[in-house]
Short mmCIF file of all heavy atoms in Angstrom, two decimals:
data_model
loop_
_atom_site.label_atom_id
_atom_site.label_comp_id
_atom_site.label_asym_id
_atom_site.label_seq_id
_atom_site.Cartn_x
_atom_site.Cartn_y
_atom_site.Cartn_z
N ILE A 26 7.54 -0.95 16.51
CA ILE A 26 7.96 -0.34 17.77
C ILE A 26 7.85 -1.40 18.86
O ILE A 26 6.86 -2.16 18.92
CB ILE A 26 7.10 0.88 18.10
CG1 ILE A 26 7.40 2.01 17.09
CG2 ILE A 26 7.34 1.37 19.52
CD1 ILE A 26 6.51 3.23 17.22
N SER A 27 8.84 -1.43 19.72
CA SER A 27 8.88 -2.44 20.78
C SER A 27 7.62 -2.38 21.64
O SER A 27 7.21 -1.30 22.09
CB SER A 27 10.12 -2.21 21.65
OG SER A 27 10.16 -3.12 22.73
N GLY A 28 7.01 -3.53 21.83
CA GLY A 28 5.83 -3.59 22.68
C GLY A 28 4.51 -3.41 21.94
O GLY A 28 3.44 -3.59 22.53
N HIS A 29 4.58 -3.05 20.67
CA HIS A 29 3.35 -2.88 19.89
C HIS A 29 2.83 -4.24 19.43
O HIS A 29 3.52 -4.98 18.74
CB HIS A 29 3.60 -1.98 18.69
CG HIS A 29 3.59 -0.53 19.04
ND1 HIS A 29 3.47 0.48 18.10
CD2 HIS A 29 3.66 0.10 20.24
CE1 HIS A 29 3.47 1.65 18.70
NE2 HIS A 29 3.59 1.44 20.01
N ALA A 30 1.60 -4.51 19.81
CA ALA A 30 1.02 -5.82 19.52
C ALA A 30 0.51 -5.92 18.08
O ALA A 30 0.46 -6.99 17.51
CB ALA A 30 -0.13 -6.12 20.49
N THR A 31 0.13 -4.79 17.53
CA THR A 31 -0.52 -4.81 16.22
C THR A 31 0.40 -4.28 15.13
O THR A 31 1.05 -3.25 15.32
CB THR A 31 -1.81 -3.98 16.25
OG1 THR A 31 -2.60 -4.40 17.37
CG2 THR A 31 -2.63 -4.20 14.99
N LEU A 32 0.42 -4.98 14.04
CA LEU A 32 1.28 -4.61 12.91
C LEU A 32 0.44 -4.62 11.65
O LEU A 32 -0.40 -5.50 11.43
CB LEU A 32 2.45 -5.59 12.79
CG LEU A 32 3.52 -5.28 11.73
CD1 LEU A 32 4.89 -5.75 12.22
CD2 LEU A 32 3.18 -5.90 10.39
N TYR A 33 0.66 -3.61 10.81
CA TYR A 33 -0.10 -3.43 9.57
C TYR A 33 0.85 -3.32 8.38
O TYR A 33 1.91 -2.71 8.48
CB TYR A 33 -0.92 -2.14 9.62
CG TYR A 33 -1.70 -1.89 10.88
CD1 TYR A 33 -1.08 -1.38 12.03
CD2 TYR A 33 -3.08 -2.11 10.94
CE1 TYR A 33 -1.79 -1.12 13.18
CE2 TYR A 33 -3.81 -1.84 12.09
CZ TYR A 33 -3.16 -1.35 13.21
OH TYR A 33 -3.87 -1.08 14.36
N TRP A 34 0.42 -3.87 7.26
CA TRP A 34 1.08 -3.62 5.99
C TRP A 34 0.09 -2.90 5.07
O TRP A 34 -1.05 -3.33 4.91
CB TRP A 34 1.50 -4.92 5.30
CG TRP A 34 2.75 -5.55 5.86
CD1 TRP A 34 2.83 -6.62 6.69
CD2 TRP A 34 4.09 -5.16 5.58
NE1 TRP A 34 4.14 -6.92 6.97
CE2 TRP A 34 4.94 -6.04 6.29
CE3 TRP A 34 4.68 -4.15 4.80
CZ2 TRP A 34 6.34 -5.95 6.25
CZ3 TRP A 34 6.05 -4.06 4.75
CH2 TRP A 34 6.87 -4.95 5.47
N TYR A 35 0.56 -1.79 4.50
CA TYR A 35 -0.24 -1.01 3.56
C TYR A 35 0.47 -0.95 2.21
O TYR A 35 1.69 -0.96 2.14
CB TYR A 35 -0.42 0.43 4.05
CG TYR A 35 -1.32 0.62 5.26
CD1 TYR A 35 -0.80 0.54 6.55
CD2 TYR A 35 -2.67 0.90 5.10
CE1 TYR A 35 -1.63 0.72 7.64
CE2 TYR A 35 -3.50 1.10 6.19
CZ TYR A 35 -2.96 1.01 7.45
OH TYR A 35 -3.78 1.20 8.55
N GLN A 36 -0.34 -0.82 1.17
CA GLN A 36 0.17 -0.55 -0.17
C GLN A 36 -0.26 0.86 -0.55
O GLN A 36 -1.45 1.18 -0.46
CB GLN A 36 -0.40 -1.55 -1.18
CG GLN A 36 0.10 -1.35 -2.60
CD GLN A 36 -0.70 -2.18 -3.59
OE1 GLN A 36 -1.91 -2.05 -3.69
NE2 GLN A 36 -0.01 -3.05 -4.33
N GLN A 37 0.70 1.70 -0.94
CA GLN A 37 0.36 3.06 -1.35
C GLN A 37 0.80 3.26 -2.80
O GLN A 37 1.99 3.45 -3.09
CB GLN A 37 1.03 4.11 -0.45
CG GLN A 37 0.58 5.53 -0.77
CD GLN A 37 1.16 6.55 0.18
OE1 GLN A 37 2.15 6.30 0.88
NE2 GLN A 37 0.56 7.72 0.23
N ILE A 38 -0.16 3.22 -3.69
CA ILE A 38 0.10 3.47 -5.10
C ILE A 38 0.20 4.97 -5.32
O ILE A 38 -0.50 5.75 -4.65
CB ILE A 38 -1.00 2.84 -5.97
CG1 ILE A 38 -0.92 1.31 -5.86
CG2 ILE A 38 -0.90 3.28 -7.42
CD1 ILE A 38 -2.04 0.56 -6.53
N LEU A 39 1.03 5.38 -6.24
CA LEU A 39 1.28 6.80 -6.50
C LEU A 39 -0.03 7.56 -6.72
O LEU A 39 -0.86 7.15 -7.52
CB LEU A 39 2.17 6.95 -7.73
CG LEU A 39 2.68 8.36 -8.03
CD1 LEU A 39 3.59 8.85 -6.91
CD2 LEU A 39 3.41 8.39 -9.36
N GLY A 40 -0.20 8.63 -5.95
CA GLY A 40 -1.39 9.45 -6.11
C GLY A 40 -2.58 9.00 -5.29
O GLY A 40 -3.66 9.58 -5.40
#
Side-chain angles (χ1 to χ4, degrees):
Chain A
I26 292 174
S27 177
H29 280 196
T31 309
L32 185 147
Y33 313 80
W34 282 102
Y35 290 88
Q36 181 191 58
Q37 186 176 18
I38 293 173
L39 188 64

